[in-house]
C-alpha cells in the first residue's frame, strides 16, 4: 500500500499537469511578453493590492508592484485589477504571485516568443489540406481524402449536370467542406501578410514532407488552396459557392468520409471574393511563378466580367441551402462589399481605370471609410486597407488620404477601448459573435495597418494586446490555440482531432471563442446571465464557440507573424 502511495506521489509530482498548475484568478499570456513591450497581467479578484514577479527556476522575487484598478468589466462580469510589470525587462521565465498564495502560469519574457506559435498556426493550414495525404514532424497525419469527382447539385441549373473534379483545397474548419467565400478571405489574409512582410514571410519554413517545392513555403501552401479555387470557376466566369456533402459527416477521419460531395450554384459573393484573391495572387506570385500569376489574373478578370454582366446579387436574396442540404451556408444578404474588394485588388494589380472608377463610385457614401474588423461576411475594411497599401501611380490620392484619416480615428477608438477594458482588449459587447476570436485579431490587423499607413508606432502595442488575450489573459485563463501555452483548449470541434484516437488535438488551431449569439445547445445551456465574454465552453459539442476554421487561423498567422522575430 505504502509503495503504491509512493508511486502515486511520484507520478503526481512528475506529471506536467502538476508542474504547470496555476490559479485561475491570475491571468497572463502563457506564451509571454516581448522585452520592451507593455506587460499586463489581469487579476480577477474582489480584493488585492500587490503582486510579485518570481523567477520560475528558483522562485526568486524579481519585481514587485501595486495593482491598479479595479475595473468593473461589463463584458466578462469580472472585477479586474491590472498587474503592470512593463518596467521589468529581463529575459527569462517567470510567474506572477498575488496575495502571497495565488500563482499564474509561467510565461517567458523575450523577443522571439511568438516564433513557435507563428510556425504552428501557419502549419495548421498544411494540416487542413484535402485531397492529399498529410503528415509531419508533429505526429499528426491523415490519408488522402475526398478525391471522387463531385456531382453538380440539381439546384446549380445552367444546364450543368454530371460530375466535376473539385478535389484539393483546405478543409474549411472542423468539417470537410470547401467554401469559396471563406477560402477567399482566408487565403487573401495570408497573402496580405506575405505582401506586407516579405522578408519574414518568405523565411518561414513549414516542414513539408516534399522535395521539389520552389516557392517560399507560405506561398506553396496558399497555392495549394488557390489551385482548388481555380477548379471552382464555372464556364461563364461565375464561381461555385461551395463543395460539401448534403449533411455534415460524423466524427470520422477525412479519408473515412465517403459521403457524396456536391457542387452548389454560382454566387456573386463567391465570385467577387474569388476575383479579389486571384488578383492578389497575380501580383504576389509574379516574381516567383509568372505562369501561375498570369493564370490567376485571367481567372480574376473572367470572374469580374461575370460580375459586371450580373450587377445584382446572385442568386437573388443571396445563397441559401437547397432543402436537402444542411452544411455551412456562408449566407450573405449583400455582395456590395465583396464587389468593392474585387475592384480594389484588380486595381492594385493592374492600375486599370475601370476599377478605379468603380472604387470611387462605390465609396462616396462611406463615412467613415473604416470602423470595423473584416470578417467573411464584411470584407470592406480589408479592401479599404488594401487600397492604402496599393502602389499604383494612378490611385486617387484624395480617397487614399480620407481612408488613412478614418483609419487613424478608428485606431484611436480601439486604443481607447483597450484602456477602458478589464482584459485590455479592443472588443465591444456586440463583437462576441460566432468566431469572435477572429474579430479581435482582425482589429489587430487594422491597428498594424494604422501604425504603418498613418505612421504611428504606438498602435502596435494595441495590436499585440489581442495576442495576450488569445494566449491566456482571458476569463478562462486558457490559451485558445491548441498545443500552445501551458493550458489550452483540448476539445475543439474538429473532426480529425476527435477521430484520430489521440488525446491531443491537432496543433496550432484557434478556437472560435466566446459567442453571445449562443448558436448551439451547449451555449444555450449556459445560465441566462452569462456575460458575453464567458459564452464559451471547451466542449466538442460546442461548434459555435469551439470549432476551428481557416478564416480564424489566418488573422492569427498574420498577427503572430508580424510580431515574430
Ligand atoms: O451578424 C449577426 C449579429 O449582428 C447578431 O448580433 C448575431 C447574433 O447571433 O448574429 C450575427 O450573425 C451570425 C454570424 O455567424 C456571426 O456570428 C449568424 O447568426 C450566424 O448564423 C453566423 O454563423 C456562421 C456559421 O457558420 C453558421 O452559418 C459563422 O459566421 C461561420 O463562421 C460558420 O462557418 C462554419 C461553416 O458554415 C461550416 N464550416 C465550419 C464553419 C465554422 O464554424
Ligand atoms: O459539425 C458541424 C460544424 O462543422 C458546423 O460549423 C456546425 C454549424 O453549421 O454544424 C456542425 O454540425 C452539427 C449540426 O449543425 C447539428 N447537429 C450536430 C452536428 C455536429 O455537432
Ligand atoms: Zn478532404
Amino acid at each position: 500500500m505504502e509503495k503504491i502511495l509512493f508511486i502515486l506521489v511520484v507520478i503526481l509530482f512528475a506529471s506536467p499537469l502538476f508542474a504547470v498548475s496555476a490559479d485561475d484568478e491570475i491571468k497572463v499570456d502563457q506564451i509571454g511578453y516581448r522585452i520592451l513591450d507593455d506587460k499586463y497581467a489581469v487579476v480577477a479578484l474582489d480584493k488585492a493590492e500587490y503582486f510579485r514577479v518570481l523567477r520560475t527556476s528558483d522562485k526568486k522575487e524579481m519585481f514587485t508592484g501595486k495593482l491598479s484598478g479595479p475595473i468593473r468589466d461589463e463584458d466578462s462580469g469580472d472585477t479586474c485589477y491590472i498587474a503592470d510589470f512593463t518596467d521589468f525587462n529581463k529575459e527569462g521565465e517567470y510567474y506572477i504571485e498575488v496575495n502571497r498564495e495565488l500563482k499564474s502560469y509561467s510565461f517567458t519574457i523575450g523577443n522571439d516568443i511568438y516564433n513557435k506559435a507563428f510556425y504552428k498556426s501557419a502549419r495548421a493550414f498544411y494540416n487542413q489540406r484535402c485531397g492529399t495525404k498529410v503528415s509531419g514532424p508533429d505526429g499528426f497525419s491523415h490519408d488522402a481524402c475526398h478525391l471522387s469527382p463531385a456531382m453538380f447539385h440539381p439546384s446549380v441549373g445552367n444546364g450543368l449536370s454530371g460530375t466535376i473534379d473539385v478535389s484539393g483545397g483546405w478543409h474549411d474548419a472542423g468539417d470537410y467542406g470547401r467554401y469559396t467565400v471563406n477560402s477567399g478571405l482566408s487565403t487573401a489574409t495570408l497573402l496580405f501578410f506575405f505582401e506586407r512582410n516579405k522578408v519574414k514571410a518568405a523565411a518561414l519554413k513549414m516542414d513539408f514532407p516534399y522535395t521539389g517545392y520552389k516557392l517560399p513555403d507560405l506561398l506553396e501552401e496558399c497555392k495549394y488552396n488557390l489551385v482548388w479555387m481555380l477548379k471552382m470557376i464555372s464556364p461563364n466566369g461565375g464561381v461555385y459557392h461551395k463543395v460539401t456533402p448534403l449533411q455534415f459527416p460524423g466524427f470520422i477521419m477525412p479519408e473515412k468520409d465517403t459521403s457524396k460531395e456536391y457542387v452548389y450554384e454560382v454566387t456573386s459573393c463567391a465570385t467577387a471574393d474569388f476575383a479579389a484573391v486571384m488578383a492578389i495572387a497575380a501580383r504576389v506570385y509574379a516574381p516567383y511563378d509568372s505562369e501561375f500569376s498570369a493564370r490567376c489574373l485571367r481567372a480574376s478578370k473572367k470572374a469580374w466580367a461575370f460580375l459586371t454582366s450580373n450587377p445584382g446579387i446572385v442568386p437573388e436574396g443571396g445563397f441559401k441551402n437547397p432543402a436537402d442540404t444542411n452544411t455551412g451556408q456562408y449566407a450573405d444578404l449583400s455582395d456590395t462589399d465583396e464587389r468593392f474588394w474585387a475592384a480594389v485588388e484588380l486595381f492594385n494589380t493592374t492600375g486599370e481605370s475601370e476599377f478605379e472608377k468603380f472604387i470611387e463610385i462605390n465609396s462616396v457614401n462611406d463615412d467613415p471609410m473604416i470602423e470595423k474588423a473584416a470578417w467573411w461576411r464584411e470584407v470592406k475594411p480589408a479592401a479599404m486597407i488594401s487600397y492604402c497599401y496599393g502602389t499604383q501611380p494612378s490611385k486617387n490620392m484624395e480617397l487614399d488620404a480620407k481612408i488613412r484619416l478614418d483609419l487613424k480615428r478608428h485606431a484611436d477608438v480601439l486604443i481607447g477601448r483597450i484602456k477602458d477594458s478589464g482584459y485590455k482588449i479592443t472588443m465591444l459587447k456586440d463583437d462576441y459573435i460566432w468566431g469572435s476570436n477572429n474579430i479581435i485579431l482582425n482589429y489587430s490587423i487594422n491597428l498594424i495597418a494604422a501604425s504603418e499607413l498613418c505612421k504611428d508606432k504606438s498602435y502596435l502595442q494595441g495590436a499585440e494586446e489581442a495576442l495576450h488575450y488569445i494566449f491566456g489573459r482571458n476569463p478562462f485563463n486558457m490559451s485558445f490555440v491548441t498545443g500552445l501555452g501551458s493550458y489550452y483548449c483540448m476539445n475543439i470541434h474538429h473532426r480529425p482531432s476527435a477521430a484520430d484516437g489521440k488525446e491531443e488535438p491537432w496543433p496550432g488551431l484557434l478556437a472560435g471563442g466566446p459567442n453571445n449569439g449562443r448558436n448551439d445547445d451547449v451555449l444555450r445551456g449556459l445560465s441566462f446571465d452569462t456575460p458575453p465574454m464567458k459564452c464559451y465552453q471547451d466542449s466538442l459539442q460546442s461548434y459555435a464557440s469551439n470549432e476551428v476554421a481557416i478564416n480564424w487561423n489566418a488573422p492569427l498567422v498574420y498577427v503572430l507573424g508580424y510580431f515574430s522575430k
Side-chain angles (χ1 to χ4, degrees):
M1 181 65 204
E2 259 170 47
K3 203 171 164 193
I4 293 174
L5 208 66
F6 173 77
I7 291 169
L8 273 178
V9 168
V10 168
I11 290 174
L12 188 67
F13 278 81
S15 88
L17 263 179
F18 179 82
V20 300
S21 82
D23 296 292
D24 275 348
E25 297 84 351
I26 323 297
K27 299 144 194 299
V28 296
D29 181 333
Q30 296 166 25
I31 291 188
Y33 304 80
R34 294 184 308 159
I35 299 170
L36 295 178
D37 285 347
D38 289 355
K39 305 177 196 75
Y40 306 120
V42 169
V43 177
L45 283 175
D46 287 335
K47 191 107 200 71
E49 264 185 89
Y50 296 95
F51 70 96
R52 311 198 289 157
V53 179
L54 302 158
R55 187 158 60 198
T56 307
S57 59
D58 57 2
K59 302 194 172 143
K60 181 171 185 253
E61 178 182 294
M62 306 296 289
F63 185 87
T64 61
K66 194 170 177 337
L67 295 165
S68 66
I71 296 174
R72 247 326 277 173
D73 186 82
E74 293 285 329
D75 296 352
S76 63
D78 289 343
T79 301
C80 299
Y81 288 89
I82 308 293
D84 181 348
F85 52 107
T86 302
D87 293 342
F88 179 59
N89 291 333
K90 205 166 158 17
E91 264 178 272
E93 206 189 315
Y94 310 96
Y95 63 95
I96 298 220
E97 194 193 80
V98 176
N99 290 350
R100 296 259 158 193
E101 50 163 354
L102 299 172
K103 292 178 184 49
S104 76
Y105 287 111
S106 278
F107 56 86
T108 303
I109 294 182
N111 281 342
D112 59 358
I113 51 169
Y114 299 123
N115 292 16
K116 180 171 133 199
F118 174 39
Y119 162 83
K120 284 202 181 189
S121 58
R123 199 168 191 288
F125 281 86
Y126 164 75
N127 283 338
Q128 288 293 102
R129 284 189 188 195
C130 183
T132 188
K133 182 179 155 59
V134 157
S135 68
D138 54 18
F140 293 86
S141 61
H142 74 67
D143 281 332
C145 53
H146 306 107
L147 283 166
S148 311
M151 296 270 293
F152 282 105
H153 190 274
S155 57
V156 170
N158 278 331
L160 293 161
S161 65
T163 61
I164 172 177
D165 168 34
V166 282
S167 58
W170 295 314
H171 295 142
D172 181 58
D175 64 332
Y176 299 136
R178 279 96 68 219
Y179 305 77
T180 307
V181 161
N182 205 40
S183 240
L185 182 61
S186 306
T187 316
T189 301
L190 296 177
L191 293 178
F192 281 150
F193 170 71
F194 191 94
E195 188 176 35
R196 298 169 193 168
N197 305 276
K198 284 213 186 65
V199 176
K200 222 190 258 188
L204 176 69
K205 289 273 162 282
M206 290 172 64
D207 291 330
F208 295 126
Y210 314 114
T211 50
Y213 267 2
K214 295 200 174 64
L215 301 169
D217 284 7
L218 193 58
L219 292 190
E220 288 289 0
E221 195 48 51
C222 290
K223 188 173 175 183
Y224 189 83
N225 194 56
L226 290 164
V227 165
W228 165 73
M229 289 190 86
L230 287 163
K231 295 182 180 177
M232 294 291 278
I233 194 160
S234 82
N236 67 7
V239 181
Y240 305 119
H241 195 67
K242 63 171 178 174
V243 48
T244 72
L246 299 178
Q247 310 293 332
F248 290 114
F251 284 95
I252 52 177
M253 291 302 280
E255 62 271 26
K256 291 272 161 58
D257 175 25
T258 53
S259 30
K260 184 101 209 95
E261 289 194 310
Y262 291 82
V263 164
Y264 291 79
E265 68 194 300
V266 161
T267 66
S268 50
C269 283
T271 306
D273 284 336
F274 174 95
V277 72
M278 288 299 161
I280 301 169
R283 55 178 195 267
V284 172
Y285 287 86
Y288 303 96
D289 187 343
S290 53
E291 209 175 298
F292 185 63
S293 157
R295 191 175 156 207
C296 292
L297 188 56
R298 278 196 304 276
S300 176
K301 287 198 159 179
K302 198 170 166 190
W304 180 261
F306 173 90
L307 294 171
T308 47
S309 46
N310 294 275
I313 189 163
V314 181
E316 221 175 289
F319 180 81
K320 271 187 209 72
N321 273 333
D324 62 356
T325 301
N326 202 16
T327 51
Q329 296 203 96
Y330 288 107
D332 192 341
L333 298 177
S334 153
D335 67 359
T336 54
D337 54 314
E338 285 81 6
R339 286 172 188 260
F340 182 84
W341 184 34
V344 165
E345 301 310 342
L346 274 159
F347 175 72
N348 283 353
T349 302
T350 66
E352 289 166 17
S353 61
E354 174 191 357
F355 306 117
E356 177 64 40
K357 269 187 218 120
F358 187 96
I359 294 164
E360 285 170 14
I361 293 168
N362 289 283
S363 58
V364 279
N365 294 324
D366 291 341
D367 186 26
M369 307 299 272
I370 181 167
E371 59 174 341
K372 293 208 165 110
W375 56 296
W376 67 261
R377 209 165 68 187
E378 180 48 57
V379 294
K380 210 160 193 178
M384 291 294 182
I385 286 172
S386 186
Y387 188 74
C388 293
Y389 275 112
T391 54
Q392 291 295 345
S394 60
K395 98 163 138 178
N396 179 334
M397 291 315 288
E398 226 173 282
L399 182 58
D400 180 85
K402 186 162 167 11
I403 300 172
R404 285 179 204 238
L405 193 69
D406 288 347
L407 177 61
K408 188 166 171 51
R409 289 205 183 108
H410 167 57
D412 290 335
V413 169
L414 294 179
I415 298 297
R417 286 188 209 159
I418 293 174
K419 291 213 175 85
D420 294 342
S421 127
Y423 283 91
K424 297 259 164 228
I425 53 178
T426 49
M427 297 285 276
L428 289 174
K429 184 169 181 282
D430 289 345
D431 288 331
Y432 295 95
I433 59 173
W434 193 319
S436 67
N437 282 343
N438 113 97
I439 302 292
I440 190 171
L441 290 164
N442 272 295
Y443 276 139
S444 289
I445 291 180
N446 294 357
L447 283 166
I448 292 168
S451 86
E452 295 182 337
L453 298 166
C454 314
K455 305 266 175 290
D456 185 342
K457 282 210 171 336
S458 74
Y459 295 132
L460 291 178
Q461 183 61 50
E464 200 176 343
E465 298 302 342
L467 294 177
H468 299 324
Y469 168 85
I470 293 292
F471 289 108
R473 199 182 63 198
N474 57 53
F476 303 93
N477 202 25
M478 185 195 79
S479 161
F480 284 113
V481 188
T482 53
L484 291 164
S486 313
Y487 168 56
Y488 47 82
C489 45
M490 287 296 290
N491 308 302
I492 51 172
H493 189 96
H494 178 246
R495 284 171 173 73
S497 294
D500 67 359
K502 296 192 171 86
E503 204 192 329
E504 269 296 303
W506 284 46
L509 291 165
L510 173 68
N515 174 7
N516 199 27
R518 301 192 183 208
N519 317 61
D520 66 43
D521 286 343
V522 174
L523 298 178
R524 281 186 287 268
L526 296 174
S527 132
F528 77 95
D529 55 357
T530 307
M533 213 195 291
K534 288 188 173 152
C535 288
Y536 166 84
Q537 207 171 91
D538 179 17
S539 144
L540 177 62
Q541 274 79 35
S542 183
Y543 49 81
S545 81
N546 212 29
E547 189 162 357
V548 303
I550 54 173
N551 60 315
W552 306 337
N553 249 68
L556 177 67
V557 171
Y558 190 117
V559 180
L560 281 171
Y562 187 85
F563 289 109
S564 70
K565 202 182 152 201

